[in-house]
């Protein structure tokens, strides 16, 4: 209603108002489509590209193991943390390019991909503790750049 009053004050025609309303509906539909597409992309990428390489490792922390991919040996470390219900497979194509400039570590959080599932609650504190343990056990050296997905 507010938008209609503003458009009337601006001397825009009824046709213009319908076009703007259609644009808003289209925008909402595109957001839903993008979210659905991303979820599907993560699923398909995991199914198609879940090929292990010599750089893939299972690193044991506490009572479970995390699936990691490590490339490069440069001064600082870029750590990619997968998100949005995806594992590390969707970042496999990005890691080699970044590894020319930095050491790259990509990992799947507990319960995703090939990482072991855990039965306790998945909290922010638990996830950050796992990352800290991963850094220690994998003997990663600072400086770190954390890249979160999703």
């Amino acid at each position: 209603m507010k938008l209609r009053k503003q458009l009337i004050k601006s001397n825009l025609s009824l046709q213009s108002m319908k076009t703007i309303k259609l644009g808003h509906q289209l925008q909402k539909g595109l957001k839903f489509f993008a979210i659905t597409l991303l979820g599907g992309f993560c699923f398909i990428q995991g199914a198609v590209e879940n090929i292990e390489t010599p750089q893939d490792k299972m690193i044991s922390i506490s009572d479970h193991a995390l699936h990691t991919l490590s490339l490069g040996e440069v001064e600082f470390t870029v750590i990619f943390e997968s998100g949005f219900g995806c594992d590390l497979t969707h970042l496999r194509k990005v890691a080699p390019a970044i590894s020319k400039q930095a050491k790259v570590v990509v990992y799947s959080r507990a319960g995703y991909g090939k990482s072991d599932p855990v039965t306790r609650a998945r909290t922010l504190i638990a996830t950050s503790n796992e990352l800290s343990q991963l850094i220690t056990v994998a003997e990663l050296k600072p400086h770190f750049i954390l890249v979160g997905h999703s």
Side-chain angles (χ1 to χ4, degrees):
M1 194 64 168
K2 233 180 183 181
L3 179 62
R4 182 177 289 235
K5 286 180 182 178
Q6 288 175 344
L7 292 173
I8 291 171
K9 284 182 183 178
S10 303
N11 293 324
L12 291 175
S13 68
L14 184 58
Q15 184 62 37
S16 297
M17 289 189 288
K18 288 180 181 177
T19 302
I20 291 171
K21 185 176 181 181
L22 178 64
H24 287 294
Q25 291 171 342
L26 184 60
Q27 187 179 18
K28 286 179 184 177
L30 286 175
K31 285 180 186 176
F32 175 76
F33 176 74
I35 290 170
T36 305
L37 184 64
L38 181 60
F41 175 75
C42 289
F43 176 75
I44 291 169
Q45 285 290 99
V48 173
E49 295 185 11
N50 204 3
I51 301 166
E52 286 196 26
T53 65
Q55 299 88 0
D56 282 75
K57 292 181 184 172
M58 294 299 287
I59 296 184
S60 294
I61 59 166
S62 299
D63 59 347
H64 61 283
L66 299 177
H67 182 204
T68 65
L69 168 69
S70 182
L71 298 167
E73 290 296 329
V74 185
E75 221 172 289
F76 58 95
T77 305
V78 177
I79 301 171
F80 286 90
E81 183 173 288
S82 297
F84 201 63
C86 296
D87 64 356
L88 65 75
T89 56
H90 68 283
L91 294 168
R92 282 190 185 278
K93 291 183 180 179
V94 175
I98 306 293
S99 71
K100 294 175 186 171
Q101 304 288 326
K103 178 174 181 70
V104 175
V105 175
V106 183
Y107 78 101
S108 297
R109 291 180 293 151
Y112 294 96
K114 294 181 181 178
S115 290
D116 293 342
V118 291
T119 55
R120 63 185 172 280
R122 303 302 305 148
T123 65
L124 184 58
I125 292 171
T127 303
S128 59
N129 285 340
E130 287 172 354
L131 175 57
S132 180
Q133 290 175 33
L134 175 68
I135 289 169
T136 302
V137 173
E139 298 178 351
L140 302 177
K141 305 291 183 228
H143 299 285
F144 300 112
I145 298 173
L146 179 62
V147 180
H149 170 256
S150 107

